[in-house]
Amino acid sequence: MKGSYLRMLLLVPLFSSWLSGYAAGCPACWAGYGSGDERFNKPLADLRILYEKEGKNALPAIREAVRTHFDPMVKKRGIEYLLEMNDVESIPMLEDMLSELFKRVSFSSFGADSIDFQTRLRVSHALARLGSKGFADRIWERYDRLDLPRKSEVPYLLNGLGDPKLSDRLAVILNRGEDHQLMLGAIEVMAMGEDAKAVSFLRSKIVEWEGKPSPLQDSGSRAAPIIHYSVLRIKAEQACFSIEERVKKTSPAK
């Protein structure tokens, strides 16, 4: 046991240097080993080898890689290892990573099309699997203070967290009509579920949007949001079909 602990002490600083991303040298220095992505990504290969050699003893280094490494592929694999080992002690760290969404000062990129969003989405799913509770409420409480790129992530993150109030919150986004892309995101996330209540709500919105023109500008000095209701109706119809088909497949046969 003592020998294993000493090896771990030696491996942590070594692994940190592997994952720092600041080592000088030619591009070949990044060449990895093995197959697939590891052939061109040494930190990714190093992470796997450390995990295979040390198992749970590697958890401190794996958590550090998830928290600080610049490469999304390394973060993704580290999160997978945390889940494989059911590392509930990493929940506070993962929640802190997700809180980047509403921190006033952050160096992350935001928006549903950003690289950092993909990491946050994986973190949200990981938190749900590890048993984190209440973080969806924390995000929603701050929703009105977020800018549009951050808001665009919220439906997907709430879904990843397994938010029990998800349908109601998506309905709020659609009823507000704040932004066309936000509304599309809410419909897309609704389409991922099996909530019959969401179908009823979407059907009512389809009727409401029927023949409704897209406002180009209001009578004041501020431009009104451009909402393409014809597009929203099509997406809502597709979402209803997806939900209903999924419910049919999961319902017990009569």
Side-chain angles (χ1 to χ4, degrees):
M1 187 70 182
K2 183 177 180 181
S4 175
Y5 180 73
L6 290 174
R7 284 199 305 274
M8 190 58 203
L9 290 178
L10 292 172
L11 278 167
V12 170
L14 177 61
F15 184 63
S16 297
S17 68
W18 285 340
L19 299 182
S20 65
Y22 296 104
C26 63
C29 297
W30 284 98
Y33 34 85
S35 60
D37 294 326
E38 291 184 6
R39 292 179 60 193
F40 311 101
N41 192 322
K42 187 174 184 295
L44 192 66
D46 290 340
L47 183 62
R48 174 182 56 80
I49 289 174
L50 182 68
Y51 170 67
E52 291 175 351
K53 282 185 176 180
E54 298 296 324
K56 287 196 172 184
N57 287 333
L59 274 173
I62 293 172
R63 292 174 190 147
E64 185 66 13
V66 170
R67 189 178 66 86
T68 64
H69 201 273
F70 67 93
D71 189 337
M73 294 179 67
V74 174
K75 287 178 177 287
K76 176 185 176 182
R77 179 166 290 182
I79 291 170
E80 291 171 355
Y81 290 158
L82 296 180
L83 290 174
E84 286 180 20
M85 293 184 282
N86 193 34
D87 182 30
V88 294
E89 292 184 11
S90 68
I91 288 177
M93 178 199 74
L94 294 172
E95 289 180 343
D96 186 64
M97 290 176 65
L98 204 54
S99 70
E100 287 291 318
L101 184 73
F102 46 78
K103 286 182 179 177
R104 290 188 176 181
V105 179
S106 175
F107 297 101
S108 296
S109 59
F110 295 99
D113 58 349
S114 68
I115 293 177
D116 289 331
F117 163 68
Q118 294 300 324
T119 296
R120 282 189 288 274
L121 187 58
R122 292 186 182 98
V123 167
S124 70
H125 284 281
L127 284 170
R129 287 180 57 182
L130 291 172
S132 172
K133 303 293 183 184
F135 205 85
D137 292 334
R138 289 178 60 186
I139 291 177
W140 187 249
E141 286 166 2
R142 294 162 174 80
Y143 181 80
D144 288 334
R145 288 174 259 169
L146 304 179
D147 56 24
L148 288 179
R150 298 181 195 229
K151 283 182 176 180
S152 72
E153 297 187 16
V154 169
Y156 304 94
L157 298 180
L158 295 182
N159 184 56
L161 288 164
D163 181 12
K165 302 175 184 176
L166 179 63
S167 292
D168 292 337
R169 286 165 173 168
L170 296 177
V172 169
I173 295 173
L174 288 173
N175 283 331
R176 286 183 178 180
E178 178 184 4
D179 177 83
H180 181 73
Q181 292 301 321
L182 294 183
M183 296 171 78
L184 281 179
I187 293 173
E188 182 177 7
V189 173
M190 277 188 174
M192 298 175 185
E194 302 173 10
D195 190 346
K197 184 172 69 173
V199 174
S200 299
F201 173 77
L202 288 172
R203 296 274 183 218
S204 71
K205 298 305 289 186
I206 291 169
V207 173
E208 177 187 330
W209 295 334
E210 182 69 35
K212 194 170 184 178
S214 300
L216 297 180
Q217 190 170 1
D218 63 14
S219 57
S221 59
R222 291 182 58 192
I226 298 176
I227 310 285
H228 301 285
Y229 293 105
S230 59
V231 175
L232 293 178
R233 288 200 307 274
I234 293 171
K235 294 297 184 182
E237 288 280 11
Q238 293 172 341
C240 290
F241 177 79
S242 296
I243 297 169
E244 289 168 342
E245 286 299 303
R246 195 173 295 109
V247 170
K248 288 179 185 178
K249 292 179 181 178
T250 56
S251 297
K254 294 183 179 179

